[in-house]
Amino acid sequence: MTGDRNRGWTRRQALQSMALAGAAAAWSPRSLAQDRRIGVALVGLGGYAKGLLAPALQLTKHCRLAGLVTGSPDKLPEWQGKYGVPDRNVYSYEDFHRIADNPDIDAVYIVTPNHLHKAHALIAAAAGKHVWCEKPMAMDAAEGEAMVKACRDHKVQLTVGYRMQHEPNTRRFMAMATERPFGRIIKLRADAGWFGWRNGADEAWRLDPARGGGAMYDMGVYCVNAARYSTGMEPVAVQAWDETVRRELFKGVDETMRFRLEFPEDIVAECVTSFGRNLNTLQVDCERGWYTMSPFQGYDGNGGRASDGTVFEPQLGEKPRMQAEQMDQDALAILEQRAPRVPGEEGVRDLRVLDAVFASAKADGKRVEIAQA
């Protein structure tokens, strides 16, 4: 359901009104979109939704927090008290499908554990709501493809929450993949991780294999996506090694994964992701120089430099400005009826790589070819 219907204002009415006012010639879909806001329901009220997405929605120009979906009703008094979300816009996971009857909500942002992404996306798509989904998009490429199909069939947008691809310096690196200011790309390094669980285990879903736990799902996807957007290419094969140290804590999930991606033109990306090390560097080495960002996936923006003296200063400001930019761009894509910057197909491409990484790691580093579309 589009924002136009929510406001009771159709394109035909807009044109008629402006014609009567003698201003029809000045009207455009884009200018009308600037005055609209997409109603967003957050699905899952965990730490990321509470600490970053909800505050970021207060900074956006083109969307607003309109609904809440949670399996923890004890969280609702605080959320509703702070953001004024009415009872009619609050749902449990069990009655989430009723969102189809709610014109206040145009899009849902899925922020649940990884194993729930597909199920929640299919419900939202069937309800006629646009789907924004956190990374990783799903548990594997087959799930991701089912999500893409469902959204296509129900004529709603599906976009993945790769906030980096909305960040200015990252977008500059994406452009440099084509421009190649330092000549041919030779190799890349992409490392992403954080040192967690110093004091032992807890009930965190990131330690549970059934819920999509492990460093590769959580942080490794940053490395994969960065290697892809920094080359503008799809990797063809991978070798991976599970280098987990704290086996008593990480049972059935990876604490640290090292993997080597092979790209066309003999380009290689060496990557490490971890819950046991603090890592946050992307470097591209070329035949006549290099460029790097560290951090390359920080919440307060990315900064870096190049071998010719160029400095990439962080541009968006302190968190949660990056999340606000991401959601504003995704809202504008809906309002302007154009493709989003990061469609669901982008998430599927990363999941194909993750599938191959896990297969290689289980085979002690055997070279595994990556499925292509």
Side-chain angles (χ1 to χ4, degrees), residues 277-310:
R277 297 162 60 185
N278 293 317
L279 305 166
N280 203 335
T281 298
L282 169 63
Q283 176 150 336
V284 183
D285 292 323
C286 309
E287 58 185 346
R288 297 193 301 273
W290 51 264
Y291 44 102
T292 186
M293 276 198 293
S294 185
F296 81 99
Q297 38 87 14
Y299 285 148
D300 292 319
N302 301 326
R305 56 197 177 92
S307 56
D308 64 355
T310 300

Side-chain angles (χ1 to χ4, degrees), residues 216-275:
M216 192 67 214
Y217 275 127
D218 190 54
M219 302 300 292
V221 71
Y222 284 118
C223 304
V224 172
N225 200 247
R228 290 181 50 248
Y229 64 62
S230 294
T231 59
M233 301 178 181
E234 299 302 324
V236 296
V238 66
Q239 290 177 276
W241 299 267
D242 184 334
E243 298 182 346
T244 298
V245 174
R246 294 176 287 173
R247 295 285 179 183
E248 75 287 353
L249 179 58
F250 295 90
K251 299 175 182 179
V253 300
D254 53 297
E255 176 189 24
T256 298
M257 189 78 78
R258 179 167 58 90
F259 57 102
R260 181 178 187 269
L261 294 170
E262 299 175 19
F263 286 86
E265 300 183 14
D266 295 323
I267 300 170
V268 172
E270 298 284 355
C271 306
V272 178
T273 187
S274 182
F275 283 156

Side-chain angles (χ1 to χ4, degrees), residues 1-11 13 36 103-104 106 128 130:
M1 185 170 293
T2 66
D4 285 344
R5 293 192 187 101
N6 293 347
R7 291 279 293 271
W9 187 250
T10 67
R11 176 179 173 134
Q13 289 170 321
R36 299 298 326 283
D104 291 342
D106 303 290
H130 301 287

Side-chain angles (χ1 to χ4, degrees), residues 113-125:
N114 302 333
H115 72 298
L116 297 174
H117 288 183
K118 176 189 171 185
H120 289 154
L122 297 190
I123 293 170

Side-chain angles (χ1 to χ4, degrees), residues 113-180:
N114 302 333
H115 72 298
L116 297 174
H117 288 183
K118 176 189 171 185
H120 289 154
L122 297 190
I123 293 170
K129 307 302 180 182
H130 301 287
V131 179
W132 302 347
C133 186
E134 257 310 301
K135 59 82 189 166
M137 179 180 164
M139 295 287 283
D140 55 40
E143 286 194 355
E145 288 165 355
M147 293 163 65
V148 169
K149 182 179 185 302
C151 290
R152 183 186 303 120
D153 289 347
H154 291 285
K155 296 179 172 54
V156 295
Q157 290 197 7
L158 169 60
T159 185
V160 186
Y162 285 140
R163 56 189 170 85
M164 294 301 102
Q165 294 202 32
H166 299 272
E167 190 271 334
N169 285 333
T170 302
R171 294 190 65 77
R172 181 71 195 116
F173 270 45
M174 294 170 73
M176 291 165 75
T178 301
E179 296 169 3
R180 300 202 172 185

Side-chain angles (χ1 to χ4, degrees), residues 52-79:
L52 291 165
L53 293 181
L57 280 165
Q58 312 313 304
L59 304 176
T60 58
K61 299 178 181 177
H62 306 292
C63 41
R64 57 187 175 82
L65 178 55
L68 304 170
V69 184
T70 182
S72 304
D74 57 299
K75 295 180 179 180
L76 291 173
E78 178 184 357
W79 277 79

